[in-house]
Amino acid sequence: MSDLKIAVLGVGMMGADHVARITSRISGARVVVVNDYLTDKAEAVAAGVPGCRAVGDPLDAIADPEVDAVVIATPGSTHEKQLLACLEHGKPVLCEKPLTTDVETSLAVVKREAELGKRLIQVGFMRRFDHEYAQLKALLDAGEFGEALVLHCAHRNPAVPPNFDSAIIVRDSLVHEVDVARFLFGEEIASVQIIRPAANPGAPQGLQDPQIAIFKTVSGKHVDVEVFVTTGVAYEVRTELVGEKGSAMIGLDVGLVRKTSPGSWGGQITPSFKERFGQAYDTEFQRWVDAVARGGTTGDYTDGPTAWDGYAAAAVCEAGVESLNTGLPVEVTLADRGSIEGA
Ligand code: ISE
């Protein structure tokens, strides 16, 4: 079978990383078109990939007859238009989170995809493809912990870009724990509360960092998260699941443990999510490419989080931002999934 020909929209840090991954680390696909609002950047990336060209307009890149499928790694504010264009052209798309930047437009995208009757959108919640998360989910589903009860999470970044405000921490960072909780527990989140502890004196003025989030799921399970994005240390993501018959923790970063003179021991923490989740991104892309190859017969071009997962995460984050302002628990409002997907 011939390679899947992909357009990558947005070749900033993640997009350029995805171009490299498709070109050198996964099989069955190649990048034929790249696009970026920085034309020079797109041209430089295209020049490094045999058979790849830069196209100036993202909508032209999507419509390009050579392009079979699309990867969206552009800023969130551009996603709605680009996703709708992919749907109209019937092109499978792997879209980095967020699906779109607000709940209404996310729901509109979910509905349009449902009307077309094909699953063309996969959302880039890559943690689901990380070996440790996948192992935890498999053990949980096999009943090894009995009933799952509680999830304790820590999400720490050494630093974030200067545009980060307190709400972006919810929508851009905490959103991963939203997806992890929905993925592991297999149910929706019913309410969110965000508590504002004393802020890190080293954080930019006015940034509420750290934040403590508490989710309650529909069946009453508890999730707590410390999200702290200006630690100045390294990248740390830990998740501990507590169940009826035991508990398990992932993300301890205990790779090689080194002992050196005089009398010290230790290892290394990954510097950023690119390294920590490198394997997860590779697996995510390989499985997406394989799913797209099967999609012509199944009508399902995804193997992972769908447009609904992107919409549900947006709805939880919306409630989270409201709680960040009031300090009170806020209920999550979700559309009726059955009536949309059965449509
Ligand atoms: C970033 O956008 C990511 O997706 C990372 O996984 C997360 O750890 C970071 O906080 C976000 O800013």
mmCIF file of all heavy atoms in Angstrom, residues 13-14 96-97 124-127 155-161 164 168-169 171-177 227-229 235-237 272-274 277 281, ligand 1:
data_model
loop_
_atom_site.group_PDB
_atom_site.id
_atom_site.type_symbol
_atom_site.label_atom_id
_atom_site.label_comp_id
_atom_site.label_asym_id
_atom_site.label_seq_id
_atom_site.Cartn_x
_atom_site.Cartn_y
_atom_site.Cartn_z
ATOM 1 N N MET A 13 7.154 24.371 17.688
ATOM 2 C CA MET A 13 7.845 23.308 18.418
ATOM 3 C C MET A 13 7.212 21.923 18.184
ATOM 4 O O MET A 13 7.883 20.996 17.757
ATOM 5 C CB MET A 13 7.856 23.614 19.913
ATOM 6 C CG MET A 13 8.575 22.540 20.674
ATOM 7 S SD MET A 13 8.529 22.739 22.444
ATOM 8 C CE MET A 13 6.821 22.806 22.795
ATOM 9 N N MET A 14 5.892 21.786 18.435
ATOM 10 C CA MET A 14 5.282 20.450 18.329
ATOM 11 C C MET A 14 5.129 20.022 16.878
ATOM 12 O O MET A 14 5.368 18.871 16.534
ATOM 13 C CB MET A 14 3.901 20.423 19.017
ATOM 14 C CG MET A 14 3.917 20.137 20.483
ATOM 15 S SD MET A 14 5.253 19.124 21.130
ATOM 16 C CE MET A 14 4.941 17.501 20.474
ATOM 17 N N GLU A 96 -4.038 18.617 17.508
ATOM 18 C CA GLU A 96 -3.520 18.852 18.862
ATOM 19 C C GLU A 96 -4.600 19.527 19.694
ATOM 20 O O GLU A 96 -5.425 20.274 19.171
ATOM 21 C CB GLU A 96 -2.279 19.751 18.795
ATOM 22 C CG GLU A 96 -1.001 19.031 18.391
ATOM 23 C CD GLU A 96 -0.565 17.975 19.409
ATOM 24 O OE1 GLU A 96 -1.180 17.862 20.489
ATOM 25 O OE2 GLU A 96 0.394 17.240 19.122
ATOM 26 N N LYS A 97 -4.608 19.295 21.010
ATOM 27 C CA LYS A 97 -5.575 19.987 21.845
ATOM 28 C C LYS A 97 -5.251 21.485 21.869
ATOM 29 O O LYS A 97 -4.078 21.825 21.666
ATOM 30 C CB LYS A 97 -5.627 19.385 23.261
ATOM 31 C CG LYS A 97 -4.266 19.305 23.980
ATOM 32 C CD LYS A 97 -3.990 20.493 24.835
ATOM 33 C CE LYS A 97 -2.639 20.436 25.466
ATOM 34 N NZ LYS A 97 -2.027 21.701 25.744
ATOM 35 N N GLY A 124 -5.342 15.170 20.028
ATOM 36 C CA GLY A 124 -4.002 14.776 20.468
ATOM 37 C C GLY A 124 -3.772 14.702 21.972
ATOM 38 O O GLY A 124 -2.818 15.301 22.462
ATOM 39 N N PHE A 125 -4.615 13.971 22.662
ATOM 40 C CA PHE A 125 -4.315 13.712 24.076
ATOM 41 C C PHE A 125 -3.365 12.512 24.105
ATOM 42 O O PHE A 125 -3.792 11.359 24.168
ATOM 43 C CB PHE A 125 -5.597 13.422 24.860
ATOM 44 C CG PHE A 125 -6.443 14.644 25.104
ATOM 45 C CD1 PHE A 125 -7.771 14.675 24.723
ATOM 46 C CD2 PHE A 125 -5.907 15.764 25.732
ATOM 47 C CE1 PHE A 125 -8.560 15.794 24.949
ATOM 48 C CE2 PHE A 125 -6.691 16.894 25.959
ATOM 49 C CZ PHE A 125 -8.022 16.903 25.557
ATOM 50 N N MET A 126 -2.057 12.825 24.065
ATOM 51 C CA MET A 126 -1.065 11.766 23.821
ATOM 52 C C MET A 126 -0.834 10.863 25.005
ATOM 53 O O MET A 126 -0.322 9.755 24.857
ATOM 54 C CB MET A 126 0.261 12.397 23.368
ATOM 55 C CG MET A 126 1.090 13.059 24.453
ATOM 56 S SD MET A 126 0.220 14.451 25.231
ATOM 57 C CE MET A 126 1.497 15.133 26.272
ATOM 58 N N ARG A 127 -1.224 11.332 26.212
ATOM 59 C CA ARG A 127 -0.890 10.499 27.379
ATOM 60 C C ARG A 127 -1.535 9.120 27.307
ATOM 61 O O ARG A 127 -1.025 8.169 27.873
ATOM 62 C CB ARG A 127 -1.340 11.195 28.654
ATOM 63 C CG ARG A 127 -0.498 12.382 29.011
ATOM 64 C CD ARG A 127 -0.796 12.723 30.423
ATOM 65 N NE ARG A 127 -0.317 14.030 30.792
ATOM 66 C CZ ARG A 127 -0.595 14.593 31.952
ATOM 67 N NH1 ARG A 127 -1.372 13.960 32.827
ATOM 68 N NH2 ARG A 127 -0.130 15.779 32.251
ATOM 69 N N HIS A 155 1.150 17.602 38.208
ATOM 70 C CA HIS A 155 1.544 18.017 36.850
ATOM 71 C C HIS A 155 2.424 19.254 37.011
ATOM 72 O O HIS A 155 1.944 20.331 37.327
ATOM 73 C CB HIS A 155 0.264 18.348 36.060
ATOM 74 C CG HIS A 155 0.499 18.768 34.634
ATOM 75 N ND1 HIS A 155 -0.479 18.649 33.683
ATOM 76 C CD2 HIS A 155 1.562 19.314 33.993
ATOM 77 C CE1 HIS A 155 -0.021 19.102 32.519
ATOM 78 N NE2 HIS A 155 1.212 19.517 32.695
ATOM 79 N N ARG A 156 3.724 19.043 36.846
ATOM 80 C CA ARG A 156 4.660 20.151 37.086
ATOM 81 C C ARG A 156 5.497 20.435 35.847
ATOM 82 O O ARG A 156 6.059 19.517 35.266
ATOM 83 C CB ARG A 156 5.598 19.815 38.244
ATOM 84 C CG ARG A 156 4.837 19.560 39.521
ATOM 85 C CD ARG A 156 5.771 19.479 40.715
ATOM 86 N NE ARG A 156 5.031 19.003 41.865
ATOM 87 C CZ ARG A 156 5.449 18.073 42.711
ATOM 88 N NH1 ARG A 156 6.649 17.523 42.553
ATOM 89 N NH2 ARG A 156 4.702 17.698 43.724
ATOM 90 N N ASN A 157 5.536 21.686 35.482
ATOM 91 C CA ASN A 157 6.389 22.146 34.363
ATOM 92 C C ASN A 157 7.479 23.037 34.951
ATOM 93 O O ASN A 157 7.212 23.802 35.892
ATOM 94 C CB ASN A 157 5.595 23.003 33.369
ATOM 95 C CG ASN A 157 4.564 22.233 32.554
ATOM 96 O OD1 ASN A 157 4.105 22.703 31.523
ATOM 97 N ND2 ASN A 157 4.172 21.060 33.016
ATOM 98 N N PRO A 158 8.678 22.986 34.376
ATOM 99 C CA PRO A 158 9.727 23.882 34.892
ATOM 100 C C PRO A 158 9.385 25.353 34.627
ATOM 101 O O PRO A 158 9.689 26.225 35.428
ATOM 102 C CB PRO A 158 10.979 23.468 34.109
ATOM 103 C CG PRO A 158 10.492 22.687 32.937
ATOM 104 C CD PRO A 158 9.167 22.101 33.298
ATOM 105 N N ALA A 159 8.755 25.605 33.476
ATOM 106 C CA ALA A 159 8.438 26.998 33.100
ATOM 107 C C ALA A 159 7.388 26.952 31.998
ATOM 108 O O ALA A 159 7.171 25.907 31.387
ATOM 109 C CB ALA A 159 9.689 27.683 32.563
ATOM 110 N N VAL A 160 6.733 28.068 31.778
ATOM 111 C CA VAL A 160 5.755 28.155 30.687
ATOM 112 C C VAL A 160 6.010 29.436 29.903
ATOM 113 O O VAL A 160 6.656 30.355 30.409
ATOM 114 C CB VAL A 160 4.299 28.125 31.217
ATOM 115 C CG1 VAL A 160 3.864 26.720 31.550
ATOM 116 C CG2 VAL A 160 4.110 29.052 32.398
ATOM 117 N N PRO A 161 5.476 29.524 28.670
ATOM 118 C CA PRO A 161 5.705 30.735 27.876
ATOM 119 C C PRO A 161 5.104 31.974 28.545
ATOM 120 O O PRO A 161 4.182 31.860 29.364
ATOM 121 C CB PRO A 161 4.982 30.438 26.555
ATOM 122 C CG PRO A 161 4.766 28.957 26.541
ATOM 123 C CD PRO A 161 4.712 28.499 27.954
ATOM 124 N N PHE A 164 1.247 32.787 29.281
ATOM 125 C CA PHE A 164 0.409 31.988 30.186
ATOM 126 C C PHE A 164 -0.236 32.868 31.259
ATOM 127 O O PHE A 164 0.449 33.560 32.003
ATOM 128 C CB PHE A 164 1.250 30.906 30.876
ATOM 129 C CG PHE A 164 1.022 29.531 30.308
ATOM 130 C CD1 PHE A 164 1.323 29.262 28.984
ATOM 131 C CD2 PHE A 164 0.508 28.515 31.096
ATOM 132 C CE1 PHE A 164 1.121 27.998 28.449
ATOM 133 C CE2 PHE A 164 0.296 27.244 30.574
ATOM 134 C CZ PHE A 164 0.603 26.987 29.245
ATOM 135 N N ILE A 168 -5.162 29.960 31.343
ATOM 136 C CA ILE A 168 -4.455 29.100 30.367
ATOM 137 C C ILE A 168 -3.889 27.870 31.074
ATOM 138 O O ILE A 168 -3.830 26.782 30.496
ATOM 139 C CB ILE A 168 -3.355 29.885 29.607
ATOM 140 C CG1 ILE A 168 -4.001 30.996 28.773
ATOM 141 C CG2 ILE A 168 -2.558 28.963 28.697
ATOM 142 C CD1 ILE A 168 -3.033 31.811 27.927
ATOM 143 N N ILE A 169 -3.497 28.026 32.336
ATOM 144 C CA ILE A 169 -3.001 26.848 33.076
ATOM 145 C C ILE A 169 -4.095 25.773 33.097
ATOM 146 O O ILE A 169 -3.832 24.582 32.935
ATOM 147 C CB ILE A 169 -2.565 27.228 34.508
ATOM 148 C CG1 ILE A 169 -1.374 28.191 34.446
ATOM 149 C CG2 ILE A 169 -2.245 25.983 35.341
ATOM 150 C CD1 ILE A 169 -0.869 28.669 35.802
ATOM 151 N N ARG A 171 -6.730 25.493 30.878
ATOM 152 C CA ARG A 171 -7.089 25.010 29.538
ATOM 153 C C ARG A 171 -5.952 24.278 28.834
ATOM 154 O O ARG A 171 -6.182 23.427 27.993
ATOM 155 C CB ARG A 171 -7.528 26.178 28.657
ATOM 156 C CG ARG A 171 -8.780 26.884 29.165
ATOM 157 C CD ARG A 171 -9.208 27.926 28.131
ATOM 158 N NE ARG A 171 -10.056 28.950 28.702
ATOM 159 C CZ ARG A 171 -11.366 28.834 28.870
ATOM 160 N NH1 ARG A 171 -11.969 27.723 28.532
ATOM 161 N NH2 ARG A 171 -12.069 29.832 29.378
ATOM 162 N N ASP A 172 -4.707 24.597 29.166
ATOM 163 C CA ASP A 172 -3.581 24.046 28.423
ATOM 164 C C ASP A 172 -2.842 22.954 29.190
ATOM 165 O O ASP A 172 -2.313 22.022 28.589
ATOM 166 C CB ASP A 172 -2.598 25.184 28.090
ATOM 167 C CG ASP A 172 -1.780 24.874 26.870
ATOM 168 O OD1 ASP A 172 -2.375 24.739 25.793
ATOM 169 O OD2 ASP A 172 -0.545 24.749 26.997
ATOM 170 N N SER A 173 -2.804 23.063 30.507
ATOM 171 C CA SER A 173 -2.051 22.093 31.299
ATOM 172 C C SER A 173 -2.989 21.131 32.028
ATOM 173 O O SER A 173 -2.940 19.916 31.820
ATOM 174 C CB SER A 173 -1.156 22.828 32.315
ATOM 175 O OG SER A 173 -0.308 23.732 31.647
ATOM 176 N N LEU A 174 -3.861 21.679 32.869
ATOM 177 C CA LEU A 174 -4.787 20.827 33.629
ATOM 178 C C LEU A 174 -5.649 19.955 32.708
ATOM 179 O O LEU A 174 -6.072 18.864 33.091
ATOM 180 C CB LEU A 174 -5.683 21.723 34.512
ATOM 181 C CG LEU A 174 -6.710 20.993 35.366
ATOM 182 C CD1 LEU A 174 -6.013 20.142 36.435
ATOM 183 C CD2 LEU A 174 -7.677 21.978 36.033
ATOM 184 N N VAL A 175 -5.886 20.438 31.488
ATOM 185 C CA VAL A 175 -6.731 19.693 30.547
ATOM 186 C C VAL A 175 -6.232 18.253 30.364
ATOM 187 O O VAL A 175 -7.023 17.340 30.138
ATOM 188 C CB VAL A 175 -6.818 20.437 29.188
ATOM 189 C CG1 VAL A 175 -5.487 20.461 28.464
ATOM 190 C CG2 VAL A 175 -7.900 19.840 28.304
ATOM 191 N N HIS A 176 -4.914 18.017 30.496
ATOM 192 C CA HIS A 176 -4.417 16.640 30.346
ATOM 193 C C HIS A 176 -4.937 15.742 31.469
ATOM 194 O O HIS A 176 -5.230 14.568 31.240
ATOM 195 C CB HIS A 176 -2.886 16.620 30.351
ATOM 196 C CG HIS A 176 -2.288 17.072 29.054
ATOM 197 N ND1 HIS A 176 -2.360 16.330 27.898
ATOM 198 C CD2 HIS A 176 -1.607 18.197 28.726
ATOM 199 C CE1 HIS A 176 -1.739 16.968 26.915
ATOM 200 N NE2 HIS A 176 -1.269 18.107 27.393
ATOM 201 N N GLU A 177 -5.028 16.287 32.687
ATOM 202 C CA GLU A 177 -5.564 15.467 33.788
ATOM 203 C C GLU A 177 -7.060 15.240 33.606
ATOM 204 O O GLU A 177 -7.597 14.217 34.007
ATOM 205 C CB GLU A 177 -5.293 16.117 35.145
ATOM 206 C CG GLU A 177 -3.956 15.728 35.764
ATOM 207 C CD GLU A 177 -2.761 16.257 35.009
ATOM 208 O OE1 GLU A 177 -2.885 17.297 34.345
ATOM 209 O OE2 GLU A 177 -1.693 15.615 35.081
ATOM 210 N N VAL A 227 -1.397 21.279 39.962
ATOM 211 C CA VAL A 227 -0.799 21.715 38.703
ATOM 212 C C VAL A 227 0.069 22.928 39.032
ATOM 213 O O VAL A 227 -0.382 23.891 39.639
ATOM 214 C CB VAL A 227 -1.865 21.941 37.600
ATOM 215 C CG1 VAL A 227 -2.934 22.912 37.988
ATOM 216 C CG2 VAL A 227 -1.236 22.377 36.299
ATOM 217 N N PHE A 228 1.348 22.812 38.671
ATOM 218 C CA PHE A 228 2.345 23.795 39.108
ATOM 219 C C PHE A 228 3.318 23.959 37.936
ATOM 220 O O PHE A 228 4.102 23.054 37.652
ATOM 221 C CB PHE A 228 3.030 23.243 40.368
ATOM 222 C CG PHE A 228 4.028 24.160 41.039
ATOM 223 C CD1 PHE A 228 4.189 25.485 40.667
ATOM 224 C CD2 PHE A 228 4.811 23.681 42.085
ATOM 225 C CE1 PHE A 228 5.106 26.320 41.298
ATOM 226 C CE2 PHE A 228 5.733 24.497 42.731
ATOM 227 C CZ PHE A 228 5.881 25.824 42.322
ATOM 228 N N VAL A 229 3.220 25.093 37.254
ATOM 229 C CA VAL A 229 3.910 25.201 35.964
ATOM 230 C C VAL A 229 5.145 26.114 35.959
ATOM 231 O O VAL A 229 5.702 26.381 34.905
ATOM 232 C CB VAL A 229 2.918 25.634 34.852
ATOM 233 C CG1 VAL A 229 1.806 24.615 34.688
ATOM 234 C CG2 VAL A 229 2.349 27.022 35.113
ATOM 235 N N TYR A 235 10.381 18.459 34.212
ATOM 236 C CA TYR A 235 9.011 18.091 33.861
ATOM 237 C C TYR A 235 8.591 16.860 34.649
ATOM 238 O O TYR A 235 9.220 15.806 34.545
ATOM 239 C CB TYR A 235 8.942 17.798 32.364
ATOM 240 C CG TYR A 235 7.532 17.636 31.863
ATOM 241 C CD1 TYR A 235 6.667 18.732 31.821
ATOM 242 C CD2 TYR A 235 7.052 16.407 31.443
ATOM 243 C CE1 TYR A 235 5.364 18.601 31.368
ATOM 244 C CE2 TYR A 235 5.753 16.268 30.988
ATOM 245 C CZ TYR A 235 4.924 17.371 30.946
ATOM 246 O OH TYR A 235 3.629 17.244 30.501
ATOM 247 N N GLU A 236 7.558 16.994 35.448
ATOM 248 C CA GLU A 236 7.126 15.871 36.283
ATOM 249 C C GLU A 236 5.624 15.671 36.155
ATOM 250 O O GLU A 236 4.857 16.605 36.407
ATOM 251 C CB GLU A 236 7.425 16.144 37.748
ATOM 252 C CG GLU A 236 8.897 16.299 38.079
ATOM 253 C CD GLU A 236 9.062 16.741 39.520
ATOM 254 O OE1 GLU A 236 8.991 15.891 40.415
ATOM 255 O OE2 GLU A 236 9.233 17.954 39.738
ATOM 256 N N VAL A 237 5.228 14.461 35.789
ATOM 257 C CA VAL A 237 3.805 14.136 35.717
ATOM 258 C C VAL A 237 3.610 12.816 36.445
ATOM 259 O O VAL A 237 4.112 11.784 36.006
ATOM 260 C CB VAL A 237 3.335 14.022 34.249
ATOM 261 C CG1 VAL A 237 1.957 13.416 34.174
ATOM 262 C CG2 VAL A 237 3.322 15.394 33.587
ATOM 263 N N SER A 272 11.229 18.219 29.499
ATOM 264 C CA SER A 272 9.947 18.767 29.035
ATOM 265 C C SER A 272 9.054 17.642 28.537
ATOM 266 O O SER A 272 9.470 16.485 28.444
ATOM 267 C CB SER A 272 10.160 19.783 27.916
ATOM 268 O OG SER A 272 10.239 19.116 26.663
ATOM 269 N N PHE A 273 7.813 18.017 28.168
ATOM 270 C CA PHE A 273 6.866 16.991 27.708
ATOM 271 C C PHE A 273 7.308 16.327 26.409
ATOM 272 O O PHE A 273 6.915 15.198 26.124
ATOM 273 C CB PHE A 273 5.445 17.552 27.594
ATOM 274 C CG PHE A 273 5.325 18.850 26.848
ATOM 275 C CD1 PHE A 273 5.142 18.863 25.479
ATOM 276 C CD2 PHE A 273 5.381 20.059 27.526
ATOM 277 C CE1 PHE A 273 5.008 20.059 24.788
ATOM 278 C CE2 PHE A 273 5.255 21.270 26.843
ATOM 279 C CZ PHE A 273 5.071 21.272 25.487
ATOM 280 N N LYS A 274 8.141 17.007 25.615
ATOM 281 C CA LYS A 274 8.602 16.404 24.352
ATOM 282 C C LYS A 274 9.372 15.116 24.616
ATOM 283 O O LYS A 274 9.211 14.123 23.921
ATOM 284 C CB LYS A 274 9.526 17.382 23.625
ATOM 285 C CG LYS A 274 8.843 18.101 22.504
ATOM 286 C CD LYS A 274 9.721 19.160 21.873
ATOM 287 C CE LYS A 274 10.995 18.601 21.270
ATOM 288 N NZ LYS A 274 11.805 19.657 20.634
ATOM 289 N N PHE A 277 7.011 12.459 26.959
ATOM 290 C CA PHE A 277 5.970 11.759 26.212
ATOM 291 C C PHE A 277 6.367 11.438 24.773
ATOM 292 O O PHE A 277 5.504 11.195 23.932
ATOM 293 C CB PHE A 277 4.647 12.557 26.278
ATOM 294 C CG PHE A 277 4.033 12.525 27.655
ATOM 295 C CD1 PHE A 277 3.970 13.665 28.440
ATOM 296 C CD2 PHE A 277 3.552 11.333 28.186
ATOM 297 C CE1 PHE A 277 3.433 13.624 29.726
ATOM 298 C CE2 PHE A 277 3.023 11.290 29.470
ATOM 299 C CZ PHE A 277 2.954 12.427 30.236
ATOM 300 N N TYR A 281 3.885 10.077 21.847
ATOM 301 C CA TYR A 281 3.605 10.743 20.562
ATOM 302 C C TYR A 281 3.877 9.779 19.403
ATOM 303 O O TYR A 281 3.099 9.706 18.453
ATOM 304 C CB TYR A 281 4.477 11.984 20.391
ATOM 305 C CG TYR A 281 4.089 13.174 21.236
ATOM 306 C CD1 TYR A 281 4.957 13.688 22.197
ATOM 307 C CD2 TYR A 281 2.874 13.825 21.052
ATOM 308 C CE1 TYR A 281 4.629 14.806 22.955
ATOM 309 C CE2 TYR A 281 2.534 14.936 21.807
ATOM 310 C CZ TYR A 281 3.416 15.424 22.762
ATOM 311 O OH TYR A 281 3.092 16.521 23.502
HETATM 312 C C1 ISE B 1 1.584 21.953 27.029
HETATM 313 O O1 ISE B 1 0.788 22.574 26.054
HETATM 314 C C2 ISE B 1 1.321 20.503 27.027
HETATM 315 O O2 ISE B 1 0.455 20.003 26.376
HETATM 316 C C3 ISE B 1 2.084 19.749 28.034
HETATM 317 O O3 ISE B 1 1.836 18.386 27.985
HETATM 318 C C4 ISE B 1 1.750 20.285 29.407
HETATM 319 O O4 ISE B 1 2.503 19.635 30.384
HETATM 320 C C5 ISE B 1 2.035 21.770 29.482
HETATM 321 O O5 ISE B 1 1.666 22.251 30.736
HETATM 322 C C6 ISE B 1 1.258 22.503 28.401
HETATM 323 O O6 ISE B 1 1.563 23.876 28.434
#
